[in-house]
Amino acid sequence: MTPWLVPVILGVIVVAALVGWYPRRRGVRRTAVTWVANSEYVRSLKGYRRRMKMLRWGLALGASALALTAVASSALTARPVDRDIRSEQLATRDIVLCLDVSGSMIEFDTEIVEKFSTMVESFEGERIALSVWNNTSRMVFPLTDDYTLVQEQLDSAAVALDFDIDAFIYDQEDLERLEDFLAGTVSYSTSASSLVGDGLASCALAFDHADADRSRSIILVTDNLVMGEPVYTLPEAADLAAERDIAVHGLYASASDASSEEARAEYERVITSRGGLFYEADDPAAVEGIVESIAAQQAVELDADPEVVHTDRPDRWYGWLVAGLGLFLLVVWRLRA
């Protein structure tokens, strides 16, 4: 903002107003006034007093509206801005949310995404990404600290995944929303499904700044029910993440049956043997536990000069300008009427 412009513009407005009200110069013909005898009683009439009162209030209101318009105009001319000082010396934790969206997981995914959304509310400076996968993977959004974008994307994901895949009757719009979200997670050239190792490997490759000293974590959500031959098995993908200094934490969600118990046991063993945390997805302490673990990791600060960011904010005065001008025109119109 240019502060010195405000008094200058206000001064110009005051001078212009004084020039307009200054008595006219000599030699200019004055308007003739016709005096009417015995008209003093008019001033005592109620109608006259009421109209004079309205006139005085109208003039006062009009002057106030004009002053508001002048102040708003001068402020806008001075270009109000927000000044933010941003530093790259923030906690450099990167987190990838790695979500299984195969058919057996759809019924659990909405609640899990909502847990992710709750987790984001506690972040300050961390970058977060969302990757979804079935037999292929899709990056919903890459690593970012734009939490408004993250919140919007997670809310959209929760709505899209809130679909009963086993229902005989469903809304066509809901189905299209789900299909749009799942686009890119299924290759129809193979009958494979829920390739957990490949999904985890793709998430491990989602981290940028490979040479930077950063804290990296993956939150893997799956039932570990693999159908088909993956490129990476779950242990191989976990080893790949460990080689890249990526901590992998597991959330498990599945209907109870014999095959799921075996899959759960392998999933827990792979995660915990490499230092990760393992939780049931419906455990109320799951999100809090993982967040605390991630927060406990050493935060590395990057050396960087502070950056001053200027953001134009005309919205703070534009409404006052419109309101003042509109009120002034309304008062003038009403007084003339």
Side-chain angles (χ1 to χ4, degrees):
M1 184 174 182
T2 313
W4 59 268
L5 275 178
V6 176
V8 170
I9 295 173
L10 289 176
V12 171
I13 293 173
V14 170
V15 171
L18 291 175
V19 170
W21 287 98
Y22 192 78
R24 298 180 180 181
R25 295 169 297 177
R26 292 182 180 180
V28 178
R29 181 181 176 184
R30 297 178 180 274
T31 303
V33 177
T34 303
W35 298 95
V36 179
N38 302 319
S39 60
E40 183 64 24
Y41 75 95
V42 173
R43 296 178 180 273
S44 63
L45 297 178
K46 290 183 178 179
Y48 176 83
R49 291 202 303 270
R50 184 174 64 253
R51 287 188 171 273
M52 289 303 296
K53 185 177 180 180
M54 289 177 58
L55 177 62
R56 286 192 293 270
W57 278 104
L59 291 174
L61 187 59
S64 300
L66 192 59
L68 175 61
T69 302
V71 171
S73 298
S74 61
L76 283 171
T77 305
R79 290 189 63 188
V81 298
D82 276 346
R83 237 173 126 261
D84 295 326
I85 298 178
R86 299 178 184 175
S87 175
E88 291 299 324
Q89 292 183 338
L90 297 172
T92 57
R93 291 186 288 266
D94 290 343
I95 303 166
V96 173
L97 310 177
C98 198
L99 183 63
D100 182 351
V101 291
S102 60
S104 60
M105 282 292 296
I106 292 293
E107 62 179 296
F108 305 104
D109 283 338
T110 294
E111 183 179 355
I112 291 167
V113 169
E114 289 172 351
K115 287 181 182 291
F116 286 167
S117 182
T118 302
M119 182 178 62
V120 170
E121 295 174 2
S122 65
F123 286 178
E124 294 181 5
E126 294 90 338
R127 296 192 306 163
I128 187 171
L130 173 61
S131 177
V132 294
W133 48 271
N134 186 355
N135 62 25
T136 60
S137 64
R138 176 175 79 89
M139 183 64 70
V140 179
F141 56 87
L143 286 165
T144 179
D145 59 1
D146 184 348
Y147 297 138
T148 300
L149 169 68
V150 170
Q151 208 75 54
E152 290 175 353
Q153 290 292 327
L154 291 178
D155 290 344
S156 297
V159 172
L161 292 167
D162 188 13
F163 184 87
D164 186 356
I165 201 167
D166 295 322
F168 291 102
I169 301 176
Y170 49 81
D171 186 87
Q172 184 63 29
E173 184 177 346
D174 291 343
L175 178 60
E176 291 176 357
R177 188 184 297 114
L178 176 65
E179 289 175 340
D180 289 341
F181 183 77
L182 298 182
T185 65
V186 177
S187 172
Y188 294 102
S189 62
T190 175
S191 59
S193 176
S194 191
L195 302 183
V196 179
D198 292 350
L200 177 56
S202 67
C203 292
L205 298 174
F207 294 91
D208 54 5
H209 303 309
D211 298 332
D213 192 6
R214 304 177 70 88
S215 168
R216 300 176 176 85
S217 302
I218 291 175
I219 301 176
L220 176 64
V221 184
T222 182
D223 55 9
N224 197 30
L225 295 178
V226 181
M227 180 183 296
E229 291 296 326
V231 176
Y232 287 88
T233 64
L234 178 58
E236 289 172 344
D239 288 340
L240 174 66
E243 290 170 4
R244 294 170 173 261
D245 294 324
I246 302 170
V248 181
H249 305 292
L251 283 178
Y252 175 78
S254 177
S256 296
D257 55 42
S259 60
S260 65
E261 283 301 317
E262 182 179 349
R264 181 193 183 284
E266 181 199 26
Y267 186 20
E268 182 176 11
R269 183 176 63 256
V270 169
I271 295 298
T272 57
S273 65
R274 291 163 177 80
L277 298 177
F278 181 85
Y279 287 95
E280 299 282 351
D282 58 358
D283 185 344
V287 171
E288 182 180 356
I290 291 176
V291 170
E292 288 179 355
S293 175
I294 293 172
Q297 296 180 46
Q298 183 178 4
V300 181
E301 292 188 346
L302 299 176
D303 292 328
D305 294 329
E307 178 186 4
V308 180
V309 180
H310 294 88
T311 305
D312 287 329
R313 293 302 303 272
D315 54 297
R316 291 177 176 169
W317 287 100
Y318 185 72
W320 291 109
L321 173 64
V322 174
L325 185 59
L327 180 60
F328 176 75
L329 294 176
L330 179 63
V331 169
V332 171
W333 170 79
R334 186 69 183 86
L335 292 178
R336 288 178 62 88

